Amino acid sequence: MANRFITTQSTVETRRWGSSAIVALVAMAALTADAAARQARPAPPTEATAPRDAGEPIMAIVSIKSQQVTFYDAEGWILRAPVSTGTKGRETPAGIFAVIEKDKDHHSTLYDDAWMPNMQRITWNGIALHGGPLPGYAASHGCVRMPYDFAENLFDKTRIGMRVIISPNDAEPVEFSHPVLFVPDAKAVAAAPARAEALAREADEAARTADEAKKAAATAARETASLTASLRKLEGLKTRADAELASADKKLAAANTDQAKAQASEQKEKAALKATEAGTQLDTARADAKSKLDAVAAAKDAAKAAQTRKADTAKAASEAKLALVPVSVYISRATQKLYVRRNTHKEWPDGGEVFDATIEVPVTIRDPDKQIGTHVFTAMARNDASLRWTAVTIDSGDDAKHALDRITIPQDVLDRIAPTALPRSSIIVSDEPLSRETNYRTEFVAVLNNQPQGGFKMRRPTVVNVPVASGNDWSNNNGFGFFFQPNWNPQPGNTRPRAGQYYQPMQPRWW
């Protein structure tokens, strides 16, 4: 009995120990698994500043996947911060953008006057970077929310035209070189400011000359208007005098008495004298008028020539001034076109600045039916006599090198923009056409058609006056080289095929 009790007791103790051990092992396994999961799960993004003196931001890359934005200067990343992008159905569109307007104390016109401090707009239909609450996940209506303090500190560091890339995944710029990328001419770059200044003076002088010539032609025209009236009066007097002479001649021929003949003869002499005087006055006036009419014609010709020179010099001065700013090029496989944008730094009354868009030409892309991807090539800084470039890829297709290998840029376009290409210049290659959000107050707006675009769909389309090119100059009355017509400018959804044409070409047309 004693032995059995001892045995039973030992068995019970053993079972108790076994249960405790199993629980402990399970707990340890759970803790280990949780630790492994925490180690495998990426840490949430936090604010960070590069441990060096930062330069001016050249581009910002927003990762929708990581909910993070990173800003880059010429030497690399300078600022990082968590963000909150659009929720499902109101997704922040992935694609290529640029800052087009800044507002320190912006309030939304779409969402109940919501406060959006330190707003940096990237589309006119309401997508922007701004300060806002960050719950740790996508929560906005399509904008990119940044930490309040971060957005405030960043606001004064950026400028209109800064590139903003919104990527569905993590992306970063990598050093890159390729023969297609612009190689500036050091002499042309050095001479550009003086050339622009000289052409600006020449354009001003041509404008003054044209105005003076126009006034002179108008004055001469007014003088000839009174002269024409005088000629008509003299011609009327001459006509009446000739009629009186003819009447007197008939009376003389019909006179059948000496008295009647004498009276008719006297009337004829007076009529003949009057007709002669009227003819002399008319001939003198006509001779005088001819010289003045010749002067008027010469004044009109001079005014026309001066106006032509004014337009030509204005165009040359505009091109020279644009050579002093970075140039952006967009090459679309969808449209087989090359577009050029340069900021004129001319403020538009309704907000933002006007971008020159006078170059839009066909481009040759080898294997046009094969996807090319979306790649952004940016000139970060000067490198000896050339430029140092980076590449950012945000959409699948060819790699960056093969994408550029497939493209032949027209030589005349290269001749116009490459010699004076500056840091911050860029070349964008994409399967996508330009979005209809691209207009005269934007650089390039292009969205990835294979990604959600709810942030665009939920917003009222931008209403803009679509610019129609009136020539390759800036010489018309509005000073921008375009006349404007109203047009609804809706943003397409992602159901449209890649080859669809979103962007409204800037060519003369009836709407």
Side-chain angles (χ1 to χ4, degrees):
M1 290 288 294
N3 290 336
R4 191 181 304 151
F5 176 79
I6 295 171
T7 303
T8 303
Q9 187 180 32
S10 299
T11 302
V12 171
E13 291 297 328
T14 301
R15 288 176 179 171
R16 288 177 178 172
W17 178 87
S19 299
S20 300
I22 291 171
V23 171
L25 287 172
V26 170
M28 289 177 63
L31 290 172
T32 303
D34 186 60
R38 284 199 303 270
Q39 186 175 5
R41 187 186 304 123
T46 57
E47 291 186 41
T49 302
R52 60 178 175 83
D53 292 336
E56 181 181 338
I58 295 176
M59 75 171 76
I61 301 179
V62 176
S63 170
I64 295 176
K65 176 182 178 181
S66 298
Q67 291 291 286
Q68 177 175 266
V69 62
T70 305
F71 290 82
Y72 296 85
D73 68 2
E75 302 303 322
W77 77 272
I78 52 175
L79 296 167
R80 285 197 178 106
V83 299
S84 184
T85 59
T87 58
K88 184 174 178 60
R90 299 177 183 268
E91 298 89 351
T92 301
I96 310 300
F97 308 87
V99 174
I100 55 177
E101 185 186 40
K102 300 173 65 175
D103 187 354
K104 189 74 175 171
D105 187 28
H106 183 71
H107 289 260
S108 174
T109 58
L110 296 175
Y111 301 111
D112 299 325
D113 201 37
W115 186 42
M116 298 179 177
N118 299 292
M119 184 273 292
Q120 302 194 50
R121 184 188 300 278
I122 59 176
T123 73
W124 287 109
N125 72 353
I127 304 296
L129 285 70
H130 62 80
L134 272 64
Y137 49 84
S140 80
H141 288 86
C143 286
V144 177
R145 296 182 192 167
M146 302 180 292
Y148 285 110
D149 291 344
F150 182 89
E152 183 176 6
N153 294 333
L154 176 72
F155 189 82
D156 291 330
K157 294 180 172 64
T158 62
R159 68 164 81 170
I160 300 295
M162 184 193 73
R163 172 76 59 229
V164 177
I165 301 170
I166 300 179
S167 175
N169 299 301
D170 295 340
E172 61 181 1
V174 296
E175 295 288 333
F176 189 84
S177 63
H178 193 280
V180 170
L181 300 176
F182 305 141
V183 178
D185 183 292
K187 291 183 179 179
V189 172
R195 182 173 182 271
E197 186 177 350
L199 286 173
R201 288 196 301 269
E202 185 178 342
D204 289 343
E205 179 61 32
R208 284 193 294 270
T209 301
D211 290 343
E212 291 172 359
K214 185 178 180 180
K215 291 177 181 178
T219 300
R222 285 194 298 271
E223 291 176 351
T224 56
S226 60
L227 183 62
T228 301
S230 298
L231 283 174
R232 287 182 185 145
K233 183 178 180 180
L234 290 173
E235 286 171 351
L237 292 175
K238 178 68 166 64
T239 299
R240 288 194 294 273
D242 289 342
E244 290 177 4
L245 178 60
S247 176
D249 194 46
K250 287 180 181 180
K251 287 182 179 180
L252 179 61
N256 52 16
T257 65
D258 291 342
Q259 184 179 2
K261 289 179 180 180
Q263 289 178 349
S265 178
E266 183 179 357
Q267 289 178 357
K268 180 179 178 180
E269 288 179 3
K270 290 181 179 178
L273 180 60
K274 188 176 181 180
T276 299
E277 290 177 352
T280 300
Q281 290 177 357
L282 181 59
D283 291 341
T284 301
R286 281 176 173 171
D288 184 45
K290 184 180 184 306
S291 63
K292 291 183 177 179
L293 289 172
D294 289 344
V296 169
K300 288 182 177 180
D301 290 342
K304 185 177 180 180
Q307 193 66 27
T308 300
R309 184 171 179 272
K310 175 185 175 181
D312 290 343
T313 55
K315 177 183 175 181
S318 176
E319 283 290 327
K321 187 175 181 180
L322 290 172
L324 303 178
V325 300
V327 60
S328 294
V329 173
Y330 189 91
I331 299 171
S332 168
R333 184 180 68 86
T335 63
Q336 300 286 294
K337 281 189 175 184
L338 178 151
Y339 311 85
V340 177
R341 279 284 198 277
R342 287 179 289 193
N343 192 353
T344 67
H345 297 295
K346 294 187 178 185
E347 294 185 1
W348 193 256
D350 292 336
E353 298 178 356
V354 177
F355 286 76
D356 174 70
T358 52
I359 301 178
E360 179 180 320
V361 297
V363 68
T364 301
I365 301 177
R366 191 175 69 248
D367 300 327
D369 295 330
K370 178 184 175 184
Q371 288 189 0
I372 205 167
T374 295
H375 315 274
V376 182
F377 306 94
T378 307
M380 304 300 286
R382 288 189 173 89
N383 185 3
D384 297 328
S386 188
L387 294 171
R388 177 165 54 82
W389 292 80
T390 64
V392 178
T393 296
I394 64 169
D395 194 19
S396 59
D398 254 344
D399 61 33
K401 178 184 181 304
H402 290 148
L404 286 182
D405 286 343
R406 291 168 57 187
I407 295 169
T408 301
I409 298 178
Q411 189 59 47
D412 63 324
V413 174
L414 287 173
D415 291 342
R416 288 179 67 178
I417 62 181
T420 56
L422 299 170
R424 302 174 69 94
S425 295
S426 62
I427 298 176
I428 303 166
V429 177
S430 181
D431 293 305
E432 308 294 352
L434 288 173
S435 163
R436 282 182 180 269
E437 279 296 308
T438 300
N439 57 60
Y440 61 97
R441 288 190 293 158
T442 69
E443 197 225 42
F444 295 120
V445 179
V447 296
L448 299 188
N449 200 39
N450 57 6
Q451 297 295 321
Q453 299 172 20
F456 271 171
K457 289 181 182 179
M458 298 300 293
R459 294 164 187 269
R460 185 176 181 179
T462 301
V463 181
V464 300
N465 288 326
V466 175
V468 181
S470 61
N472 228 12
D473 59 59
W474 296 66
S475 60
N476 63 357
N477 291 336
N478 59 35
F480 297 117
F482 301 114
F483 61 87
F484 297 96
Q485 297 178 347
N487 180 53
W488 279 99
N489 209 6
Q491 171 64 37
N494 60 359
T495 57
R496 187 182 293 269
R498 275 181 179 264
Q501 175 70 27
Y502 307 172
Y503 168 69
Q504 184 63 53
M506 293 185 183
Q507 297 175 353
R509 64 183 63 243
W510 292 100
W511 295 87

